[in-house]
Amino acid sequence: MSGAFAFERGARGLGLPRPPRRRAAESVVPMINVVFLLLIFFLMTAEIAPPPPLEVAPPAAEAPPGAGGEAALHVGADGRLAYRDARDEAVWTALAAREGEGPVPLRADAGLPAAELAALLGRLAAAGVAEVDLAVVSR
């Protein structure tokens, strides 16, 4: 019975070396937590804005850049107009409907002839717009 007793005691009883212990796998939970925190940080700090309705390259000037955004009047190099959701001739009714919102930010393309810009400013004055902020890029 001494042989059966040695078998019941396990591998040590047979004189075999004990198998090496495996290291516990490292947890990926802390790395996932950091990735989610970074994702939340970048989502909270990002400025998500709709693209401008017209591609406009403002003229260069010594003044600081003017105001922009979705409520700006965009004028393309070809004279096309965009203000909020209105395009071309519908811009004038949209501008007439605004009340007390302050100066109108104007984002005109640098390729727009000065004579057309002057005519546009005259038409804006006739539409009741008292102040215009021209957006420029600094040199």
Side-chain angles (χ1 to χ4, degrees), residues 2-137:
S2 66
F5 181 73
F7 183 74
E8 287 177 21
R9 287 178 43 201
R12 285 179 28 173
L14 297 176
L16 297 173
R18 201 173 237 179
R21 297 187 99 182
R22 289 186 178 176
R23 285 184 52 182
E26 292 185 24
S27 177
V28 295
V29 173
M31 183 180 68
I32 293 171
N33 288 344
V34 168
V35 168
F36 279 124
L37 285 173
L38 286 173
L39 180 67
I40 290 170
F41 171 76
F42 287 122
L43 286 175
M44 294 300 289
T45 59
E47 183 177 324
I48 300 173
L54 298 174
E55 285 301 319
V56 173
E62 298 297 327
E70 71 177 80
L73 174 61
H74 292 78
V75 185
D78 56 355
R80 290 184 304 144
L81 299 172
Y83 180 71
R84 293 188 175 151
D85 293 333
R87 301 292 181 265
D88 297 321
E89 287 303 314
V91 165
W92 301 110
T93 57
L95 285 171
R98 70 186 281 293
E99 294 178 15
E101 293 182 31
V104 173
L106 177 63
R107 295 183 52 88
D109 194 280
L112 183 70
E116 287 186 33
L117 181 60
L120 177 70
L121 291 174
R123 192 162 177 197
L124 282 169
V129 176
E131 263 187 271
V132 174
D133 286 339
L134 180 61
V136 294
V137 288

